[in-house]
mmCIF file of all heavy atoms in Angstrom:
data_model
loop_
_atom_site.group_PDB
_atom_site.id
_atom_site.type_symbol
_atom_site.label_atom_id
_atom_site.label_comp_id
_atom_site.label_asym_id
_atom_site.label_seq_id
_atom_site.Cartn_x
_atom_site.Cartn_y
_atom_site.Cartn_z
ATOM 1 N N ARG A 1103 -5.661 1.041 -3.127
ATOM 2 C CA ARG A 1103 -6.764 0.778 -4.050
ATOM 3 C C ARG A 1103 -6.481 -0.457 -4.875
ATOM 4 O O ARG A 1103 -5.354 -0.702 -5.293
ATOM 5 C CB ARG A 1103 -6.982 1.966 -4.983
ATOM 6 C CG ARG A 1103 -7.715 3.128 -4.348
ATOM 7 C CD ARG A 1103 -7.925 4.263 -5.336
ATOM 8 N NE ARG A 1103 -8.831 5.254 -4.802
ATOM 9 C CZ ARG A 1103 -9.150 6.390 -5.434
ATOM 10 N NH1 ARG A 1103 -8.617 6.640 -6.607
ATOM 11 N NH2 ARG A 1103 -9.984 7.244 -4.887
ATOM 12 N N GLU A 1104 -7.554 -1.187 -5.139
ATOM 13 C CA GLU A 1104 -7.493 -2.374 -5.978
ATOM 14 C C GLU A 1104 -8.342 -2.094 -7.218
ATOM 15 O O GLU A 1104 -9.479 -1.633 -7.111
ATOM 16 C CB GLU A 1104 -8.046 -3.557 -5.195
ATOM 17 C CG GLU A 1104 -8.087 -4.869 -5.929
ATOM 18 C CD GLU A 1104 -8.809 -5.932 -5.124
ATOM 19 O OE1 GLU A 1104 -9.260 -5.635 -3.993
ATOM 20 O OE2 GLU A 1104 -8.929 -7.053 -5.645
ATOM 21 N N HIS A 1105 -7.790 -2.352 -8.412
ATOM 22 C CA HIS A 1105 -8.450 -2.007 -9.668
ATOM 23 C C HIS A 1105 -8.681 -3.264 -10.510
ATOM 24 O O HIS A 1105 -7.852 -4.185 -10.514
ATOM 25 C CB HIS A 1105 -7.601 -1.023 -10.481
ATOM 26 C CG HIS A 1105 -7.222 0.222 -9.737
ATOM 27 N ND1 HIS A 1105 -7.839 1.431 -9.932
ATOM 28 C CD2 HIS A 1105 -6.272 0.435 -8.785
ATOM 29 C CE1 HIS A 1105 -7.295 2.340 -9.142
ATOM 30 N NE2 HIS A 1105 -6.338 1.763 -8.441
ATOM 31 N N PHE A 1107 -9.790 -4.204 -14.588
ATOM 32 C CA PHE A 1107 -9.976 -3.629 -15.915
ATOM 33 C C PHE A 1107 -10.577 -4.665 -16.872
ATOM 34 O O PHE A 1107 -10.451 -5.876 -16.673
ATOM 35 C CB PHE A 1107 -8.636 -3.141 -16.479
ATOM 36 C CG PHE A 1107 -8.038 -2.002 -15.705
ATOM 37 C CD1 PHE A 1107 -7.125 -2.245 -14.677
ATOM 38 C CD2 PHE A 1107 -8.377 -0.693 -16.000
ATOM 39 C CE1 PHE A 1107 -6.577 -1.208 -13.956
ATOM 40 C CE2 PHE A 1107 -7.823 0.358 -15.276
ATOM 41 C CZ PHE A 1107 -6.921 0.096 -14.250
ATOM 42 N N LEU A 1116 -11.886 0.880 -16.894
ATOM 43 C CA LEU A 1116 -12.010 0.478 -15.499
ATOM 44 C C LEU A 1116 -13.381 -0.150 -15.276
ATOM 45 O O LEU A 1116 -14.403 0.483 -15.497
ATOM 46 C CB LEU A 1116 -11.822 1.694 -14.579
ATOM 47 C CG LEU A 1116 -11.906 1.442 -13.078
ATOM 48 C CD1 LEU A 1116 -10.782 0.521 -12.621
ATOM 49 C CD2 LEU A 1116 -11.851 2.766 -12.313
ATOM 50 N N ILE A 1303 1.798 -8.242 -10.725
ATOM 51 C CA ILE A 1303 2.183 -6.962 -11.320
ATOM 52 C C ILE A 1303 3.670 -6.754 -11.066
ATOM 53 O O ILE A 1303 4.120 -6.805 -9.920
ATOM 54 C CB ILE A 1303 1.388 -5.805 -10.685
ATOM 55 C CG1 ILE A 1303 -0.121 -6.071 -10.773
ATOM 56 C CG2 ILE A 1303 1.742 -4.484 -11.324
ATOM 57 C CD1 ILE A 1303 -0.949 -5.186 -9.870
ATOM 58 N N LEU A 1308 9.557 4.099 -12.823
ATOM 59 C CA LEU A 1308 9.167 4.799 -11.599
ATOM 60 C C LEU A 1308 8.112 3.986 -10.860
ATOM 61 O O LEU A 1308 6.975 3.873 -11.311
ATOM 62 C CB LEU A 1308 8.638 6.189 -11.917
ATOM 63 C CG LEU A 1308 8.172 7.013 -10.714
ATOM 64 C CD1 LEU A 1308 9.321 7.228 -9.725
ATOM 65 C CD2 LEU A 1308 7.593 8.353 -11.162
ATOM 66 N N SER A 1309 8.478 3.403 -9.719
ATOM 67 C CA SER A 1309 7.611 2.478 -9.001
ATOM 68 C C SER A 1309 6.981 3.082 -7.759
ATOM 69 O O SER A 1309 5.900 2.666 -7.351
ATOM 70 C CB SER A 1309 8.398 1.219 -8.590
ATOM 71 O OG SER A 1309 8.926 0.566 -9.724
ATOM 72 N N GLU A 1335 4.028 7.160 -1.940
ATOM 73 C CA GLU A 1335 3.058 7.158 -3.034
ATOM 74 C C GLU A 1335 3.437 6.073 -4.029
ATOM 75 O O GLU A 1335 4.538 6.058 -4.586
ATOM 76 C CB GLU A 1335 3.058 8.517 -3.741
ATOM 77 C CG GLU A 1335 2.146 8.601 -4.945
ATOM 78 C CD GLU A 1335 0.671 8.717 -4.586
ATOM 79 O OE1 GLU A 1335 0.380 9.185 -3.465
ATOM 80 O OE2 GLU A 1335 -0.169 8.348 -5.415
ATOM 81 N N VAL A 1336 2.505 5.122 -4.241
ATOM 82 C CA VAL A 1336 2.683 4.076 -5.254
ATOM 83 C C VAL A 1336 1.646 4.330 -6.346
ATOM 84 O O VAL A 1336 0.438 4.209 -6.088
ATOM 85 C CB VAL A 1336 2.494 2.667 -4.659
ATOM 86 C CG1 VAL A 1336 2.621 1.615 -5.760
ATOM 87 C CG2 VAL A 1336 3.521 2.414 -3.565
ATOM 88 N N PRO A 1337 2.059 4.725 -7.551
ATOM 89 C CA PRO A 1337 1.085 5.006 -8.612
ATOM 90 C C PRO A 1337 0.416 3.725 -9.097
ATOM 91 O O PRO A 1337 0.808 2.615 -8.729
ATOM 92 C CB PRO A 1337 1.944 5.644 -9.704
ATOM 93 C CG PRO A 1337 3.317 5.091 -9.478
ATOM 94 C CD PRO A 1337 3.451 4.907 -7.993
ATOM 95 N N LEU A 1338 -0.598 3.891 -9.918
ATOM 96 C CA LEU A 1338 -1.334 2.743 -10.439
ATOM 97 C C LEU A 1338 -0.450 1.911 -11.364
ATOM 98 O O LEU A 1338 0.114 2.426 -12.333
ATOM 99 C CB LEU A 1338 -2.571 3.216 -11.202
ATOM 100 C CG LEU A 1338 -3.361 2.137 -11.949
ATOM 101 C CD1 LEU A 1338 -3.897 1.081 -10.983
ATOM 102 C CD2 LEU A 1338 -4.499 2.763 -12.743
ATOM 103 N N PHE A 1339 -0.328 0.618 -11.049
ATOM 104 C CA PHE A 1339 0.353 -0.349 -11.904
ATOM 105 C C PHE A 1339 -0.637 -1.435 -12.307
ATOM 106 O O PHE A 1339 -1.528 -1.801 -11.524
ATOM 107 C CB PHE A 1339 1.548 -0.981 -11.194
ATOM 108 C CG PHE A 1339 2.678 -0.023 -10.966
ATOM 109 C CD1 PHE A 1339 2.958 0.448 -9.701
ATOM 110 C CD2 PHE A 1339 3.446 0.408 -12.029
ATOM 111 C CE1 PHE A 1339 3.993 1.343 -9.487
ATOM 112 C CE2 PHE A 1339 4.491 1.299 -11.827
ATOM 113 C CZ PHE A 1339 4.766 1.760 -10.554
ATOM 114 N N ILE A 1340 -0.473 -1.940 -13.511
ATOM 115 C CA ILE A 1340 -1.415 -2.904 -14.072
ATOM 116 C C ILE A 1340 -0.682 -4.187 -14.427
ATOM 117 O O ILE A 1340 0.438 -4.159 -14.956
ATOM 118 C CB ILE A 1340 -2.106 -2.319 -15.315
ATOM 119 C CG1 ILE A 1340 -2.926 -1.075 -14.925
ATOM 120 C CG2 ILE A 1340 -3.031 -3.352 -15.971
ATOM 121 C CD1 ILE A 1340 -3.487 -0.327 -16.106
ATOM 122 N N GLY A 1362 -5.721 -6.478 -13.847
ATOM 123 C CA GLY A 1362 -5.737 -6.035 -12.454
ATOM 124 C C GLY A 1362 -4.742 -4.924 -12.209
ATOM 125 O O GLY A 1362 -3.736 -4.794 -12.916
ATOM 126 N N GLY A 1363 -5.005 -4.113 -11.186
ATOM 127 C CA GLY A 1363 -4.111 -3.024 -10.854
ATOM 128 C C GLY A 1363 -4.113 -2.720 -9.373
ATOM 129 O O GLY A 1363 -5.001 -3.162 -8.635
ATOM 130 N N ALA A 1364 -3.108 -1.963 -8.930
ATOM 131 C CA ALA A 1364 -2.992 -1.588 -7.518
ATOM 132 C C ALA A 1364 -2.315 -0.235 -7.412
ATOM 133 O O ALA A 1364 -1.451 0.111 -8.222
ATOM 134 C CB ALA A 1364 -2.198 -2.635 -6.747
ATOM 135 N N SER A 1365 -2.715 0.537 -6.379
ATOM 136 C CA SER A 1365 -2.097 1.828 -6.092
ATOM 137 C C SER A 1365 -2.327 2.142 -4.620
ATOM 138 O O SER A 1365 -3.197 1.554 -3.977
ATOM 139 C CB SER A 1365 -2.691 2.938 -6.971
ATOM 140 O OG SER A 1365 -4.076 3.107 -6.696
ATOM 141 N N SER A 1366 -1.541 3.087 -4.073
ATOM 142 C CA SER A 1366 -1.730 3.439 -2.664
ATOM 143 C C SER A 1366 -1.042 4.753 -2.352
ATOM 144 O O SER A 1366 -0.104 5.172 -3.043
ATOM 145 C CB SER A 1366 -1.175 2.343 -1.737
ATOM 146 O OG SER A 1366 0.234 2.276 -1.815
#
Side-chain angles (χ1 to χ4, degrees):
R1103 282 181 169 177
E1104 179 187 359
H1105 305 257
F1107 295 93
L1116 181 64
I1303 306 165
L1308 179 60
S1309 301
E1335 177 75 24
V1336 177
L1338 173 61
F1339 291 108
I1340 297 172
S1365 63
S1366 68

